[in-house]
Amino acid sequence: MKKKITRILLIVFAVFILTGCTTTLKDPKTKKVVTYEDDKVRITLNQNILCKPTNKGLVSKYNEYKKQININKLPTCTKFKPSDANYNNLWETLIVKPLAWLTIKIGGLVKSYGIALIILSILIRILLAPFTKSTAEQSEKMKQIQPEMERINKKYEGKTDQASMQAKSMETMALYKKYNVNPFSSCLFALIQIPLLFGFLEAINRVPVIFEENLFGLVLGTTPLKAITSGHVEYIIIVILIGVTTYVSQKLNKTAPTPNSNDINPNTMLNFMLVLIVFMSINLSVAISLYWIASTLFTIVQNLLVKKFNKKEVK
């Protein structure tokens, strides 16, 4: 049943994503992706932006491709509303436009869209705190029952007959019930977090006032890879921060292996995920990286608090 629900949710999510992805602007003659480059870094231009850019260089560049996109028909970003009909579809209506609008509004209040992304990511994590708190508590419970899990694994070690496997499964389920453990509690949060991550990515890519701004000298719309290859090695700090925060978060969330996964080394899986995330961060914009870092830091603090209160309860 769980697998069927997961598949349905993944299909729905795929339909949402495929109906409203960012479209890069391509030169009709060369068929190459159009980029804008100033004295700092190079930015890839997107065709289905939601509002007008303010950077003079970007405006001039977009005006060279009026047949693909006429920016004069777009609202200014400060006047953008989620109800604007440009490129309207379900994914944009429910996820992308509201996130873009909230970022613009908060950015206007704090006078920085980079800070706005950090604030919004924390606000969202506060709203999702009941789910993340539950996940952290389940992680701690899994660690507490590890000795009994190991006893079950050792008891049925080498036994592959159906009766033994069924008995092992029943003992495991009884153990979970005894300690009120749900090993799949993190799935719900993941199904919420993934659309938000992609939604932020879409919102950032399609709102010029976000991707043309900089924070602490780092341009929000560029990626560490583009910046570093252009000679701006300072962007490596973003990759390092993502690596460090992800590593600490993984260590705090590390749980005991379930009986069905005792042939997989948890450390190997964590190391693989860490390398994958760091590799992906090289090609993610600085803006979405800020969201990831702030969100992960929130998770770290929350998990530390759960650990602290959990120890008090045990005592």
Side-chain angles (χ1 to χ4, degrees), residues 110-253:
V110 300
K111 308 302 180 185
S112 170
Y113 293 105
I115 299 297
L117 286 168
I118 295 172
I119 292 173
L120 188 53
S121 68
I122 293 173
L123 289 175
I124 288 173
R125 291 309 298 267
I126 291 173
L127 290 175
L128 296 177
F131 298 105
T132 54
K133 180 174 178 286
S134 176
T135 300
E137 289 173 344
Q138 291 294 316
S139 177
E140 287 302 304
K141 287 180 181 179
M142 288 292 287
K143 291 176 184 177
Q144 290 173 11
I145 67 174
Q146 186 172 5
E148 294 188 56
M149 293 281 285
E150 290 177 349
R151 179 186 60 78
I152 293 173
N153 286 337
K154 189 174 181 180
K155 179 179 178 180
Y156 294 97
E157 187 176 1
K159 297 180 181 180
T160 57
D161 60 282
Q162 187 175 355
S164 296
M165 296 303 291
Q166 187 174 359
K168 182 180 180 180
S169 179
M170 289 179 66
E171 286 190 36
T172 302
M173 290 301 106
L175 182 62
Y176 287 159
K177 186 176 181 180
K178 177 182 176 181
Y179 290 94
N180 195 26
V181 171
N182 180 5
F184 305 112
S185 61
S186 61
C187 294
L188 180 58
F189 175 66
L191 290 171
I192 298 172
Q193 175 78 335
I194 292 173
L196 284 174
L197 180 63
F198 278 94
F200 262 110
L201 182 60
E202 290 290 316
I204 290 163
N205 286 340
R206 293 159 68 173
V207 179
V209 292
I210 297 177
F211 64 69
E212 68 188 15
E213 194 182 297
N214 68 77
L215 181 67
F216 308 128
L218 305 177
V219 179
L220 299 182
T222 195
T223 67
L225 180 62
K226 288 179 182 177
I228 293 169
T229 53
S230 297
H232 297 273
V233 294
E234 65 272 16
Y235 281 76
I236 193 66
I237 188 65
I238 292 293
V239 180
I240 293 172
L241 285 173
I242 284 181
V244 171
T245 54
T246 302
Y247 174 79
V248 174
S249 180
Q250 285 181 343
K251 285 295 182 182
L252 289 174
N253 275 318

Side-chain angles (χ1 to χ4, degrees), residues 23 37 90 106 155 166 177 181 199 212 255 262 267 275:
T23 304
E37 189 170 0
L90 198 58
I106 295 173
K155 179 179 178 180
Q166 187 174 359
K177 186 176 181 180
V181 171
E212 68 188 15
T255 60
N262 56 5
N267 290 324
V275 172

Side-chain angles (χ1 to χ4, degrees), residues 197 239 242-243 246-247 250 267-284 292:
L197 180 63
V239 180
I242 284 181
T246 302
Y247 174 79
Q250 285 181 343
N267 290 324
T268 301
M269 183 61 68
L270 288 176
N271 291 336
F272 172 77
M273 290 300 299
L274 177 62
V275 172
L276 180 63
I277 290 169
V278 171
F279 177 77
M280 289 174 61
S281 71
I282 297 173
N283 285 293
L284 290 176
W292 182 277

Side-chain angles (χ1 to χ4, degrees), residues 6 15 23 239 259 299:
T6 303
V15 170
T23 304
V239 180
T299 300

